[in-house]
C-alpha cells in the first residue's frame, strides 16, 4: 500500500512500474537468504520485526494520505 501510494499516487508513475518494483523487492528479499538453516532459526524474530515494520508502513501510508488529501 505504501509503495503504491508513493509511486502511483504521489509520483504519478504507471501501475506497471509499481508492479515491477514490488515484484523485484519480493524476489530480492526471498532469494538473498544466507541459508535455509539461518532462515528457519531467525523465523520467529523475523515475524516479530516484520509485524512492527508492516504496521509502520501502514502508518506512513495513512499519514501521507491524510496529509495530502485531507481524508481519513
Amino acid at each position: 500500500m505504501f509503495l503504491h501510494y508513493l509511486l502511483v499516487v504521489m509520483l504519478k508513475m504507471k501501475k506497471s512500474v509499481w508492479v515491477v518494483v514490488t515484484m523485484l523487492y519480493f524476489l530480492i528479499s526471498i532469494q538473498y537468504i544466507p541459508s535455509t538453516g539461518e532462515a528457519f532459526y531467525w523465523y520467529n524474530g523475523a515475524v516479530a520485526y516484520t509485524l512492527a515494520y508492516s504496521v509502520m508502513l501502514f502508518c506512513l501510508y495513512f499519514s501521507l494520505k491524510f496529509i495530502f488529501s485531507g481524508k481519513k
Side-chain angles (χ1 to χ4, degrees):
M1 287 177 65
F2 177 69
L3 265 178
H4 179 268
Y5 189 78
L6 186 67
L7 295 177
V8 176
V9 177
M10 290 183 67
L11 297 177
K12 308 288 189 224
M13 290 184 180
K14 294 180 182 179
K15 284 189 178 183
S16 60
V17 174
W18 166 68
V19 169
V20 169
V21 168
T22 303
M23 290 302 135
L24 282 174
Y25 175 75
F26 289 155
L27 181 70
I28 290 170
S29 65
I30 291 171
Q31 292 298 319
Y32 288 106
I33 295 173
S35 73
T36 55
E38 285 185 33
F40 182 75
Y41 178 77
W42 290 103
Y43 176 75
N44 293 330
V47 169
Y49 293 135
T50 304
L51 177 67
Y53 181 68
S54 63
V55 168
M56 181 199 64
L57 287 177
F58 276 118
C59 289
L60 284 172
Y61 164 72
F62 288 120
S63 297
L64 285 174
K65 190 172 181 180
F66 180 72
I67 289 170
F68 288 107
S69 68
K71 297 178 184 177
K72 290 184 182 179

